């Protein structure tokens, strides 16, 4: 899981996401949807670090 391995290396984390999905993520212009994040407490806790510098976060609460 990318969260577990690359939380401390966000450049690699985002590079892997881009490679995995074949798209380019751009600051303040990309949307990443983490579905079912409530099922993975580590992932939900990690999101605050992922969005700290370049991305906004919205919890849909669904």
């Amino acid at each position: 899981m990318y969260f577990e391995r690359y939380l401390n290396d966000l450049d690699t984390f985002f590079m892997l996401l881009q490679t995995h999905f074949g798209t380019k993520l751009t600051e303040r212009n990309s949307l990443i949807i983490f579905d079912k994040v409530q099922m993975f407490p580590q992932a939900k806790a990690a999101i605050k670090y992922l969005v700290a510098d370049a991305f906004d976060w919205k919890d849909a609460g669904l």
Side-chain angles (χ1 to χ4, degrees):
M1 177 178 230
Y2 294 149
F3 279 115
E4 295 169 353
R5 287 184 142 169
Y6 300 105
L7 183 57
N8 294 325
D9 183 359
L10 295 181
D11 289 333
T12 300
F13 177 82
F14 287 115
M15 184 213 42
L16 288 170
L17 283 181
Q18 291 176 100
T19 301
H20 183 86
F21 291 104
T23 191
K24 181 169 174 53
L25 298 173
T26 56
E27 188 174 315
R28 302 280 184 225
N29 197 32
S30 295
L31 173 66
I32 302 171
I33 299 173
F34 295 100
D35 192 22
K36 307 292 185 202
V37 74
Q38 70 275 13
M39 297 174 67
F40 302 99
Q42 284 181 305
K44 189 164 183 173
I47 288 173
K48 66 181 176 181
Y49 298 105
L50 297 176
V51 301
D53 296 323
F55 295 92
D56 297 319
W57 160 255
K58 177 67 176 169
D59 187 346
L62 299 174

